[in-house]
Amino acid sequence: MRAWSRTDRLRVLCLALALSVLAAPVHAAGFFVHSATTHLVDRVFRLDAEIDYRFSEETLEALHNGVPLILNLDIQVVRQRTYLWNETIANLDQRYRLEYHALADQYLVTNLNSGARYNYSTLNAAIAALGHLTDLPLLDEDLINPAETYTGKLRARLDVERLPTPLRLLAYFSSAWSLSSSWYTWPIQH
C-alpha cells in the first residue's frame, strides 16, 4: 500500500471542503430588508419595501403544528441634526400574523393593524406577499420640514413574546428563533 503524498492529502482536503460547502444550506435563516423607499401621495408619505423572510426549520415546524408566527415591522422616521442627537419624530409598528390551517391546507396572513386577511395555497406565496410591502401610510407631510434632512429606518423581526409560553422559553435561548433583520435606512425626500 502506497503512502499518501502531500499533494494527495491536499486534494482530499479540497474535495472535503468543496463537499461541505455544497452540503451547507443554500439559504440560512434570517430576515433581510433589501429595499425601502417612500413617496408622497395625497399629502401622506407612503412606504414601499422588499423583505426576504427566511424562516428556520424550527419556526416552520412550529407553524405547521398550529403555532401562529407574529412578524413585526419596526419603522422609524428620524430627523438628522448636526450638533445634537438625531430626533425620532415617528415610530410605527406594523404587525402580521402568519398561520397554517391544516384542514384547509391554506396559509393565512393577517394584518394585525388593519384586520385585513389573505389566504395563500403555498407557504412561498404567503412569504412572498409578506415580503412585498406597498403603499403603507407612514407619515403626514405636515410633520416634515422641507429644509431639514430625514431618514427612514426599517427592521423586520419575529416577535417571540407572542409565542405560547413553553415555546417562548425555548425561543429565548435558541438562535433558530432569533430572527431579525438589521436596520435598513433610506433618505426621505420631500
Side-chain angles (χ1 to χ4, degrees):
M1 178 174 203
R2 169 174 89 86
W4 286 42
S5 70
R6 185 169 190 246
T7 306
D8 290 337
R9 286 190 301 253
L10 187 59
R11 285 183 184 146
V12 169
L13 179 62
C14 289
L15 179 62
L17 286 172
L19 290 174
S20 70
V21 168
L22 292 174
V26 176
H27 297 289
F31 297 166
F32 308 93
V33 179
H34 291 292
S35 67
T37 58
T38 49
H39 56 279
L40 196 58
V41 176
D42 296 329
R43 302 184 46 83
V44 173
F45 283 98
R46 295 180 175 269
L47 174 65
D48 294 340
E50 292 296 326
I51 304 164
D52 185 8
Y53 291 103
R54 297 179 190 173
F55 293 94
S56 64
E57 293 203 18
E58 291 84 348
T59 56
L60 292 178
E61 181 181 349
L63 175 69
H64 288 113
N65 283 304
V67 176
L69 302 178
I70 306 298
L71 305 170
N72 274 25
L73 296 180
D74 302 324
I75 307 164
Q76 296 179 347
V77 176
V78 177
R79 181 169 60 112
Q80 304 296 312
R81 298 195 286 191
T82 306
Y83 300 109
L84 297 171
W85 291 276
N86 295 334
E87 177 188 15
T88 301
I89 63 165
N91 275 313
L92 175 66
D93 291 322
Q94 188 68 30
R95 298 179 35 214
Y96 297 92
R97 180 175 52 230
L98 174 62
E99 299 173 89
Y100 175 66
H101 291 275
L103 192 58
D105 194 25
Q106 293 280 310
Y107 295 87
L108 178 65
V109 173
T110 305
N111 180 327
L112 296 176
N113 294 60
S114 70
R117 296 175 155 216
Y118 305 95
N119 289 317
Y120 299 94
S121 58
T122 67
L123 177 61
N124 286 340
I127 291 173
L130 279 166
H132 184 72
L133 195 62
T134 306
D135 278 339
L136 177 70
L138 181 62
L139 185 69
D140 191 71
E141 180 185 28
D142 296 336
L143 297 174
I144 298 284
N145 179 349
E148 298 191 70
T149 304
Y150 295 88
T151 302
K153 295 174 67 176
L154 171 64
R155 173 179 66 182
R157 62 184 173 86
L158 177 66
D159 190 352
V160 295
E161 295 296 322
R162 303 287 180 237
L163 293 170
T165 302
L167 194 53
R168 185 180 330 141
L169 295 173
L170 173 69
Y172 288 142
F173 300 105
S174 170
S175 61
W177 289 90
S178 258
L179 299 175
S180 178
S181 72
S182 300
W183 283 100
Y184 183 90
T185 60
W186 73 96
I188 294 180
Q189 306 290 334
H190 195 271

